[in-house]
Amino acid sequence: MVHVTGRDIAALLNPRPAVLLSCCGSSGTPNAMTAIWHTPISHEPPVVGVSIGATRYSHRLIEETHQFVLNIVGPRFQKAVRICGNYSGSTTDKTLQAGLRWQMSHSVRPPRIAD
């Protein structure tokens, strides 16, 4: 048995699939962020937990609407995953830079990623 601490614990649990979380504030302008700290919590009802730093722009938007969309994307979104994970929507139009297209969601305000 080896005693593991700190960041080494996370290293043992990675890689996780990266997802793109879409959100919007009260203005309705969409934003996307890359998230790897996510986990299913319940099957019925379907609940997923996501860890987002309280200082992050996406956190602020989600606090305004209390809603987000978890977009599970494939390899062709690799560029978008990189861009949305390295830039803040407060200073960068990640939608334009990542080439994302939005589609209305069925029951929440934030849009989902098209395609």
Side-chain angles (χ1 to χ4, degrees):
M1 185 162 141
V2 176
H3 184 71
V4 181
T5 60
R7 290 191 155 270
D8 292 337
I9 294 170
L12 291 174
L13 299 173
N14 284 318
R16 291 184 186 110
V19 298
L20 290 172
L21 184 144
S22 53
C23 55
C24 65
S26 55
S27 72
T29 303
N31 181 63
M33 66 162 272
T34 299
I36 61 167
W37 292 93
H38 53 80
T39 189
I41 295 174
S42 170
H43 295 292
E44 200 54 49
V47 177
V48 176
V50 181
S51 180
I52 304 169
T55 60
R56 301 297 184 197
Y57 178 66
S58 295
H59 187 279
R60 183 170 26 140
L61 297 179
I62 294 167
E63 284 284 308
E64 289 179 24
T65 62
H66 300 283
Q67 299 178 343
F68 65 86
V69 174
L70 195 66
N71 300 273
I72 301 168
V73 296
R76 73 179 212 179
F77 285 89
Q78 185 175 18
K79 175 185 173 189
V81 166
R82 185 176 33 78
I83 289 169
C84 294
N86 286 301
Y87 297 94
S88 173
S90 65
T91 58
T92 304
D93 183 349
K94 293 190 280 186
T95 297
L96 181 65
Q97 214 176 64
L100 294 175
R101 295 182 323 121
W102 298 110
Q103 185 174 1
M104 296 285 296
S105 295
H106 294 293
S107 58
V108 293
R109 185 174 184 173
R112 62 183 190 236
I113 295 172
D115 305 320

